Amino acid sequence: MATVEETPFPRALSGALDGALAPETREEEKYVSVVELVQQPRMQVLIGAILVYLAFGTELAFENLVPYVLSYVRYNSPAEENSGVGYEDADWAWSSGYMVKSMLFLGGVLELAAGPTTALLIGGSVFCIGVGATYFSISTFTGFIMTYCVTCGLGQALAHVVPLT
């Protein structure tokens, strides 16, 4: 069975990614390995963009998460402010998160000022801090909105534009 390094891809695919098709002179140059394909700068950018959007896509599953979060907040928290939290309050979490995410221009400004790598690191770090802080703030619905929705939304706004440019 062929290993990852030995798996052939047509050389034409590799040449197309480089911008030009090279004439095939020898039979052994007809195929390129997966490692050679992934080592090309364009493929690294493509793989990086896919990973960024895969990580940020976890918040798109928010609709599936809301019933469990609201149930946890209502039944497991001693705070009196959470006694009236219902499923209709999920709109507050959804709209507050998307209100912050609508500030995508901040990501563009940060990318121009600090560069794409720094902008991605800052945005991804803010997103991760929001997810991690939710562990400590989920006992109140307001804390959940501030950490998971607003902080994660800010992280996405800072880093979402970078793979597009």
Side-chain angles (χ1 to χ4, degrees):
M1 179 164 202
T3 63
V4 174
E5 291 86 15
E6 298 170 356
T7 305
F9 276 93
R11 176 67 65 181
L13 176 62
S14 173
L17 293 173
D18 287 337
L21 292 173
E24 299 172 22
T25 56
R26 293 183 291 183
E27 182 64 30
E28 61 212 33
E29 290 184 7
K30 190 172 182 180
Y31 292 101
V32 63
S33 70
V34 174
V35 174
E36 290 175 348
L37 191 64
V38 172
Q39 288 176 345
Q40 295 178 0
R42 290 182 183 176
M43 286 300 289
Q44 291 174 353
V45 170
L46 179 66
I47 291 169
I50 289 170
L51 291 176
V52 165
Y53 287 126
L54 185 65
F56 288 159
T58 58
E59 199 162 289
L60 296 176
F62 186 74
E63 293 294 326
N64 296 329
L65 181 70
V66 167
Y68 302 107
V69 169
L70 290 175
S71 295
Y72 180 84
V73 168
R74 280 192 300 182
Y75 296 115
N76 294 328
S77 100
E80 289 183 12
E81 70 177 73
N82 297 326
S83 60
V85 173
Y87 292 116
E88 64 276 359
D89 296 322
D91 291 338
W92 282 103
W94 184 258
S95 60
S96 64
Y98 274 95
M99 178 189 68
V100 174
K101 284 182 223 170
S102 67
M103 296 188 291
L104 288 173
F105 69 91
L106 292 175
V109 170
L110 181 63
E111 181 185 4
L112 289 175
T117 305
T118 306
L120 261 176
L121 284 174
I122 291 172
S125 297
V126 170
F127 181 80
C128 290
I129 287 169
V131 172
T134 303
Y135 173 79
F136 300 106
S137 68
I138 199 165
S139 61
T140 64
F141 188 63
T142 308
F144 173 75
I145 289 175
M146 292 307 294
T147 56
Y148 191 77
C149 301
V150 174
T151 309
C152 289
L154 180 63
Q156 284 185 350
L158 292 176
H160 191 81
V161 177
V162 176
L164 298 175
T165 58

